[in-house]
Amino acid sequence: MDYTPQPSGVSGAGLRPPRLLEQVRGRIRLRHYSIRTEQAYVGWIRRFILANGRRHPKELGGREVEIFLTRLATVGNVSAATQNQALSALLFLYREVLEIELPWMEEVVRAKRPRRLPVVLAQEEVARLLSVMPEGLPELMARLLYGTGMRLMECLRLRIKDVDFARREICVRSGKGDKDRRVPLPESLHGRLLRQRERALLLHHRDLARGFGRVHLPHALSRKYPDADGEPAWQYLFPSSRISTDPRSGRSGRHHAGEETLQRAIKAARARAGITKPATCHSLRHSFATHLLEAGHDIRTVQELLGHKDVATTQIYTHVLGRGAGGLLSPLDRLPGVVPGPA
């Protein structure tokens, strides 16, 4: 069983010293990192050890790290983001777990992430995409993504208490950067979200009768409020259709719906709607921001709704506002005798 490693030289009676990957998991949980970060970091550290003949990282140095990261790019052909994630995992290993400050780790150059323009759907394309989705939970979540600008996991992790029907707003908890923010609750979804809340509460009531009904709580809230995980307010608004086992606590309960369901539904709807753009769930967030700016809303307001730390991140959406390539009149169209327009 995983447990947080004790200080060096101290061990509990009958407990073997924690193995390296158990120490990594313990330190990650101590810092309240997400389960996804834990899985990614442990995976990269394991790959790094295996790539170096199972030698302990204390025996390795900057050369081995550089070779490992270089091979990821040249042989594995991974993206810059993936390569940087591997570097972050190794930095965490040496600094936080092994508590070794090595100067060469500061000199390892992070891969430069290419700047890509977001995939944005026109309003007509969004309407077409949503119209071909069968009415149900995926379609409701897709409308919510476009109507609020939430990220996919932010939507899936909504708790019942996060939707304020009286104030017509939704509180997004622990978004990117572990920040909270508020977004508007679309009027057109008010009734459907109320009905979804009732379905979630009914499912929770049935789970309690079966001996389940307890949900994962963030950080140390389960210790501070021992009974909160069984309260209706903390249940997921979009619960999973099945009971599962928490990989950390080992307790059975009902988690939120999986992201694959919505991702597959968006992909299928895109094909049925005849949309050739490589639109994904995240494209609905991009479209939300772009359409707000097109409607004349202030960029600072859009920045707050999206949860961007820097307004420069939000400015990428201004490429459709008449200040980018789509807003220029080509010199060809200015030539005498040339009539711009469809053939």
Side-chain angles (χ1 to χ4, degrees):
M1 180 180 292
D2 289 316
Y3 61 94
T4 302
Q6 301 185 22
S8 178
V10 179
S11 60
L15 290 178
R16 61 170 172 78
R19 295 178 179 177
L20 179 62
L21 294 184
E22 289 176 340
Q23 294 180 49
V24 172
R25 292 189 182 96
R27 186 60 60 132
I28 288 175
R29 295 173 190 184
L30 188 64
R31 291 185 170 269
H32 304 304
Y33 287 3
S34 71
I35 183 67
R36 291 176 173 235
T37 300
E38 176 182 326
Q39 293 168 344
Y41 277 22
V42 169
W44 284 119
I45 292 170
R46 180 183 286 113
R47 287 181 62 175
F48 177 64
I49 294 172
L50 293 176
N52 288 278
R54 296 181 180 273
R55 294 166 61 195
H56 196 283
K58 286 184 178 180
E59 303 173 8
L60 306 174
R63 176 174 173 77
E64 286 81 7
V65 171
E66 291 178 359
I67 291 174
F68 178 72
L69 296 175
T70 300
R71 285 181 62 84
L72 286 179
T74 59
V75 180
N77 198 30
V78 302
S79 66
T82 301
Q83 191 182 31
N84 284 333
Q85 185 188 66
L87 175 57
S88 296
L90 297 181
L91 285 171
F92 184 87
L93 169 66
Y94 280 97
R95 290 175 177 171
E96 305 296 335
V97 181
L98 301 179
E99 297 182 349
I100 299 175
E101 287 292 339
L102 300 177
W104 51 263
M105 290 294 281
E106 298 291 345
E107 299 174 1
V108 176
V109 179
R110 289 183 177 270
K112 185 176 181 181
R113 298 183 64 176
R115 183 178 175 87
R116 306 293 188 195
L117 290 177
V119 176
V120 176
L121 299 175
Q123 288 183 309
E124 179 274 331
E125 290 175 317
V126 174
R128 203 162 76 239
L129 178 78
L130 297 176
S131 67
V132 298
M133 296 184 70
E135 185 173 338
L137 200 58
E139 178 257 352
L140 174 59
M141 289 191 290
R143 290 182 181 274
L144 196 58
L145 290 181
Y146 175 65
T148 63
M150 285 190 290
R151 299 176 178 90
L152 172 58
M153 294 309 300
E154 291 173 344
C155 175
L156 294 175
R157 290 170 179 160
L158 283 176
R159 312 274 182 158
I160 287 177
K161 67 180 182 60
D162 296 332
V163 183
D164 191 332
F165 290 96
R167 295 177 58 88
R168 298 294 200 273
E169 63 183 20
I170 297 172
C171 184
V172 180
R173 304 284 183 181
S174 300
K176 194 171 184 179
D178 200 24
K179 296 180 296 184
D180 294 353
R181 71 181 191 279
R182 296 186 182 277
V183 296
L185 192 163
E187 288 292 334
S188 60
L189 297 182
H190 189 276
R192 294 188 62 184
L193 288 175
L194 272 174
R195 291 190 293 273
Q196 176 58 32
R197 184 180 68 174
E198 294 306 313
R199 284 192 289 267
L201 289 174
L202 178 60
L203 188 59
H204 172 58
H205 181 73
R206 292 173 179 171
D207 287 342
L208 286 174
R210 297 169 56 198
F212 300 113
R214 294 190 174 273
V215 73
H216 166 75
L217 295 183
H219 306 321
L221 286 175
S222 57
R223 292 197 299 271
K224 188 174 182 180
Y225 305 108
D227 298 324
D229 56 0
E231 294 178 0
W234 282 99
Q235 306 308 305
Y236 289 111
L237 180 63
F238 301 115
S240 171
S241 60
R242 63 186 67 182
I243 298 293
S244 60
T245 301
D246 189 319
R248 287 182 170 177
S249 67
R251 189 175 62 189
S252 296
R254 193 177 297 277
H255 202 48
H256 58 67
E259 63 267 34
E260 299 86 359
T261 302
L262 181 53
Q263 289 168 338
R264 287 195 295 265
I266 291 289
K267 183 177 180 180
R270 188 185 70 199
R272 287 196 298 271
I275 297 174
T276 57
K277 296 176 183 177
T280 63
C281 296
H282 208 64
S283 300
L284 295 175
R285 171 177 163 88
H286 293 321
S287 303
F288 164 86
T290 303
H291 297 165
L292 283 182
L293 291 172
E294 285 180 327
H297 292 280
D298 182 76
I299 193 170
R300 294 286 183 179
T301 300
V302 178
Q303 175 193 357
E304 292 180 6
L305 291 175
L306 293 177
H308 287 161
K309 181 179 180 181
D310 192 339
V311 72
T313 307
T314 317
Q315 286 175 339
I316 194 172
Y317 299 110
T318 61
H319 71 289
V320 298
L321 302 182
R323 293 191 289 270
L328 296 175
L329 183 63
S330 169
L332 174 65
D333 297 332
R334 298 181 185 275
L335 294 177
V338 174
V339 180

